[in-house]
Amino acid sequence: MEVDRNQPISQVIRAARRECKLSQYTLASELATISGRPTITRDLVARWERGHQIPRAGTRQWLSVVLQVPREQLDIAAAAARRRSRLGHAVVTENAPAQPGHARRAQGTPPLLPMFRSRVQGGILAATLLNPDRSFSLTELAEHAGASLASVDKENKLLERAGLLTSRREGTIRLMRAADQHGALIGPLTELMRLTYGVPQIVGEEFGSVPGVARIALGGIWADRFAGIPGPEPDGIELLIATPPGKTPDEHALSVAAQRAEQRLKRPLTFTTVPLDPDLDTLQIPHQRPGHPVVEVAAIRPRSVPRPSDVELDGRDTIHHLIHAGQLEMIGGPGANGRPFLDLAAKHIASAERIGENAPDSTFILLSQAAQLIGSSLLAQQGLRASMNAAEHVVGTAVTAQFGHQFSQIELLRRRSRELDVPTSRDSHVTPAEVSTYLRTVRTLLATATHLAEKIGLFS
């Protein structure tokens, strides 16, 4: 029987296990018994099948016996898995370089961005800097960077000492996230990551929000660099979008996704749509050359499917200026959803109502934070947010420019709350009458923003 030399061992194990009608638990139990190694558990089998770990040579010997697969086939599949470059939302699935070599090893200098000392370091920074609103465990970063826990832990310590990451503990779990957004290096470094390692995430977010997109494949020079082939910087992005057979994709939604991806990546993007087929002809990727790597990108689905806006808003020039000035940035995926911001703003308002008479200063700060959340909700609904190095007034400025003078109260509240941060100042106290007035104002802003959120869509 001819063996597919490009099929990774994760797929071989999964297919053979199912053919033998074994569950992951049963396979782990049989392997533990026959090998005398109780450390083989269902979790380890799951990691093999997800492609997060390659069974060692000794383990492959026992897998061959239990799954009735020739040892040679497992060895070939293990070699194919090692040739794959996996990072975050992307993995090389076709035409990976036959010899991994120093340039493609996780600890080797990455051709995609050779200023980094390792591909692991690039993967960690891509995960944390491009998702500044969340923390990552070491396990999550290891999966994102395609590396071992030990390698990730080593890089994390270096990045934390450099002030690029911060850590905290929740019980026995150490969580990492991007450092303070006002650090001098964070903004430029985030932009650099977005243009290189951020390509799979941005493409996955923008096209993953389009209903009917089943598979996303990347080709061209970027795929070569990602796979570890040295060469010049990519000058464009080439995509193949596969949709379910018989379903016509929403051309307008695809066009908006392409426009937004181009704006976020600051380089031209070309895509082709084809019906989904198990034997997808990746040469249909625009300008793809035979024998060159193909990178599969996971579609990142949003919490709720955003729609292209059908409302013409004022202030487009202001938004474009803020984006080009680096004060606003485009986001996609789960982050492009204003509902969580509105829900938290409503909780702040409810808390402010309860403590208003007894603590007017604290009430005012809650109302100011609620107003900022309301502004952020409208931007998130458009797939926008303030960048990591943005000025404090950006949310109020962007929302007022688009939705009218009523939202200028967001900036007024912010400025007034800043005065409360200096308790020795003459202006560091608010009166109950002032609190009562702004309580009504913020309630009105919340109601207006809730109504607007149902009408607006992605900015492009």
Side-chain angles (χ1 to χ4, degrees), residues 368-387:
S368 173
Q369 291 176 345
Q372 287 290 318
L373 287 165
I374 290 168
S376 296
S377 77
L378 292 173
L379 293 179
Q381 200 70 16
Q382 295 178 282
L384 299 169
R385 71 178 172 201
S387 62

Side-chain angles (χ1 to χ4, degrees), residues 34-58:
I34 193 174
S35 67
R37 293 172 53 200
T39 54
I40 299 179
T41 64
R42 180 263 173 192
D43 289 339
L44 181 58
V45 172
R47 287 183 64 79
W48 293 339
E49 293 192 0
R50 288 198 300 266
H52 296 159
Q53 188 169 331
I54 298 173
R56 294 180 178 178

Side-chain angles (χ1 to χ4, degrees), residues 11 38 69 81 88 100-101 112 115 185 210 223 230 240 323 355 368 373 375 379 419 427-428 441 460:
Q11 296 177 14
V69 175
L112 187 61
M115 66 180 61
L185 292 177
V210 179
L240 182 66
I323 290 173
I355 67 172
S368 173
L373 287 165
L379 293 179
E419 296 171 350
D427 301 316
S428 63
T441 298
S460 66

Side-chain angles (χ1 to χ4, degrees), residues 322-345:
L322 291 172
I323 290 173
H324 290 302
Q327 297 290 295
L328 281 180
E329 63 184 13
M330 291 184 170
I331 57 171
N337 180 10
R339 188 71 252 174
F341 294 89
L342 293 175
D343 291 342
L344 185 55

